[in-house]
Amino acid sequence: WNNICLLSNMEEAFIKSQSTKYNYYPFDFQYYGLGRPYSMTEKVKEDLKTDEIKGDIIVSTDLDVFQDRSLAKHFEESFQKTSSLLPINEFVLKTNIPNTSNYFHPFITIPLVMVINTKLLKESEIPTSFEDLLHPNFKGRYAFGGVHNSAGRSLLKSLWYLYGSNAVESFLSGAVITSMPAQAFQRVMTGQVPVAIVPTIFALRRGIQGLKACWPREGAVAIPSYVAVKSKVATEDFKLFLESILGIDHQIQLKNAGDIIPSHPDAPISSFALENDCSLLYPKWEFFDTFDHEMFYHLCKDYRPF
């Protein structure tokens, strides 16, 4: 399990509460990501040095595991196609988020949007798109966090997909890069920068101290949490996992806490997302077939958080 860092304590509490509700509960959870010894990508790479991916079920917003073809190809060796088991609503289904191979599927999606301090910008200066931030006038005036987590990397890959590698380098050179989205939000809230690119959990603060949330014209950058399950996992066990961990109750809880987009067809979508047609920016899967992740990692190393 490598999921939402800001809500990880809530997630773990939910998971622990579920294990006490069932007489038969065969799941043993291992956690990765922020505050843990390894990220999911590091864990998978270590597993593959010796044999295969060890986890029977993977739930992760660490997207390099699924987007880096050198890693993702291994899901085809020992994991099952799960599209018939994991329902997806019409809003997510119309995006590029569902994987065409059907070896992993979205559980929830975290949108990245812009939060703007209107005290620092004239009405005519307020950006409406990520592309606006590439203008020289915004150099040093926007923050995001950061190059080594899924939020920052998803943002950069999405910009690369839309505007190319030169635009990404320009974006990086003009950005105030923090270690995490929370620090980027702090910069905009305290007036150090007029714009921060952050998950929607921070957009819930809109209307306070002159803060405005903007759903970018390109769509909110999507950070899906994907689920993958090995072929050896019995169907009834995975159905129990869906019911107890990935079901509508947990999805609604995450939606309420962080304005996160659920995948379950019966779960409500936030008003902020609906007002913007739930428009989500996610590269086509063909983009990742040729995307050089090693070159991307090398590029990210050149930009240190402030």
Side-chain angles (χ1 to χ4, degrees):
W1 189 278
N2 187 157
N3 229 18
I4 310 163
C5 60
L6 290 165
L7 301 176
S8 60
N9 290 337
M10 190 183 81
E11 286 182 324
E12 289 183 41
F14 181 89
I15 288 169
K16 288 177 182 177
S17 72
Q18 294 303 96
S19 64
T20 63
K21 293 182 179 180
Y22 299 87
N23 293 326
Y24 171 73
Y25 207 72
F27 310 116
D28 175 32
F29 285 82
Q30 296 177 5
Y31 296 97
Y32 299 89
L34 186 67
R36 307 289 178 177
Y38 301 100
S39 70
M40 185 69 79
T41 295
E42 290 169 333
K43 167 62 175 170
V44 168
K45 284 183 176 180
E46 191 64 29
D47 284 353
L48 292 174
K49 286 180 182 178
T50 55
D51 187 14
E52 62 176 13
I53 300 171
K54 297 292 194 297
D56 292 330
I57 300 173
I58 291 176
V59 183
S60 180
T61 54
D62 187 343
L63 296 178
D64 288 350
V65 172
F66 308 106
Q67 295 172 348
D68 186 338
R69 288 301 303 155
S70 68
L71 303 177
K73 66 182 181 182
H74 293 281
F75 285 100
E76 300 174 11
E77 297 171 359
S78 55
F79 284 73
Q80 61 179 285
K81 296 185 177 184
T82 56
S83 59
S84 62
L85 296 173
L86 195 61
I88 303 174
N89 64 37
E90 60 178 324
F91 299 102
V92 177
L93 200 57
K94 70 180 181 181
T95 70
N96 295 325
I97 292 172
N99 180 249
T100 51
S101 73
N102 289 325
Y103 285 102
F104 38 88
H105 286 269
F107 155 49
I108 48 89
T109 300
I110 306 164
L112 286 183
V113 298
M114 293 190 291
V115 172
I116 298 161
N117 190 324
T118 59
K119 296 178 181 178
L120 303 179
L121 292 173
K122 298 176 183 177
E123 185 69 29
S124 59
E125 294 177 317
I126 293 177
T128 60
S129 68
F130 296 122
E131 187 178 23
D132 289 345
L133 301 181
L134 296 173
H135 193 280
N137 288 346
F138 274 103
K139 187 176 179 65
R141 303 178 74 197
Y142 56 91
F144 79 96
V147 293
H148 300 302
N149 60 48
S150 198
R153 288 185 172 182
S154 293
L155 170 63
L156 296 175
K157 289 177 188 179
S158 295
L159 292 177
W160 195 309
Y161 168 68
L162 287 182
Y163 304 120
S165 59
N166 289 340
V168 170
E169 292 196 52
S170 176
F171 181 86
L172 283 166
S173 65
V176 174
I177 304 173
T178 62
S179 58
M180 295 298 294
Q183 284 77 42
F185 178 73
Q186 185 71 15
R187 296 293 179 99
V188 76
M189 188 175 68
T190 56
Q192 296 177 65
V193 294
V195 182
I197 302 164
V198 292
T200 42
I201 189 172
F202 296 106
L204 291 171
R205 302 284 295 276
R206 59 190 180 273
I208 299 173
Q209 297 179 345
L211 295 182
K212 174 182 178 180
C214 171
W215 198 280
R217 192 167 59 243
E218 298 96 336
V221 169
I223 309 173
S225 172
Y226 286 114
V227 181
V229 56
K230 276 192 173 176
S231 300
K232 70 178 184 180
V233 175
T235 299
E236 52 270 27
D237 283 346
F238 187 56
K239 285 183 176 179
L240 175 60
F241 189 82
L242 290 174
E243 175 191 343
S244 61
I245 302 299
L246 305 182
I248 189 169
D249 290 345
H250 195 190
Q251 292 194 30
I252 290 175
Q253 188 179 98
L254 293 172
K255 175 259 179 188
N256 291 340
D259 225 16
I260 288 162
I261 297 173
S263 291
H264 198 287
D266 297 327
I269 305 294
S270 78
S271 58
F272 187 32
L274 288 176
E275 288 164 8
N276 293 279
D277 196 31
C278 205
S279 173
L280 296 170
L281 171 58
Y282 194 86
K284 291 183 178 179
W285 285 98
E286 292 81 2
F287 170 77
F288 296 115
D289 289 341
T290 57
F291 187 77
D292 189 336
H293 274 80
E294 290 305 317
M295 181 181 70
F296 177 67
Y297 301 146
H298 182 74
L299 172 65
C300 289
K301 286 180 181 178
D302 292 337
Y303 293 90
R304 302 291 181 185
F306 285 75

